[in-house]
């Protein structure tokens, strides 16, 4: 079964946690410095607020799977969507060890698909995603970070 993931940046984590705890009728499942996550079953969502993202408001969306064998189908759909595709692989981000890939819709909204192996004490880091908001043209990337490649490309012409 899959779960929708939504991430928001906040200027005041404490106020956001209080607000969303009332809205969802539940306390966060995970709280760490600068980070709170609700794993809700009704509605089925992984909802995150974080104060260190540098963005206020909507950050990105995603699809979380419960088993690693569910990732292949979603990754294949991301690749076939004729949009930028960034296979991140196994990484530590948001206090969790996960396998994930990223894409962006035609308006630049970033989406991740991921399977979480386990929680960690380390926040970790994510990839540079600015190129996902672009056309996916490999010539637009600066070669200093992992780069998205167009979904139909068989090899990366950048980096």
């Amino acid at each position: 079964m899959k779960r929708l993931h939504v991430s928001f940046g906040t200027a005041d984590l404490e106020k956001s946690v209080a607000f969303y705890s009332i809205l969802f009728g539940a306390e966060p499942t995970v709280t760490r410095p600068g980070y709170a996550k609700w794993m809700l079953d009704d509605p089925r969502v992984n909802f995150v607020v974080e104060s260190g993202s540098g963005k206020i408001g909507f950050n990105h969306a995603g699809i979380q799977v419960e088993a690693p064998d569910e990732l292949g189908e979603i990754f294949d759909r991301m690749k076939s969507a004729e949009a930028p595709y960034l296979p991140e692989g196994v990484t530590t981000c948001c206090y969790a060890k996960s396998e994930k890939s990223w894409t962006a819709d035609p308006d630049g909204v970033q989406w991740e698909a991921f399977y979480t192996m386990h929680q960690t004490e380390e926040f970790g880091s994510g990839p540079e995603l600015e190129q996902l908001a672009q056309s996916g043209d490999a010539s637009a990337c600066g070669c200093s970070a992992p780069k998205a490649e167009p979904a139909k490309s068989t090899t990366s012409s950048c980096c």
Side-chain angles (χ1 to χ4, degrees), residues 24-99:
F24 298 143
E27 293 297 314
T29 309
V30 176
T31 55
R32 300 278 194 278
Y35 180 88
K37 174 172 68 176
W38 289 260
M39 294 291 283
L40 303 170
D41 288 323
D42 185 17
R44 191 162 171 78
V45 65
N46 167 343
F47 185 86
V48 169
V49 290
E50 57 185 311
S51 60
S53 70
K55 293 171 95 174
I56 304 299
F58 178 77
N59 190 346
H60 67 272
I63 300 170
Q64 181 178 14
V65 298
E66 290 185 354
D69 60 345
E70 295 177 282
L71 279 177
E73 177 186 348
I74 296 171
F75 289 172
D76 288 345
R77 283 191 238 149
M78 291 171 111
K79 291 176 199 174
S80 68
E82 297 187 20
Y85 177 70
L86 178 64
E88 189 175 1
V90 176
T91 186
T92 298
C93 183
C94 305
Y95 298 101
K97 175 77 95 186
S98 301
E99 180 177 356

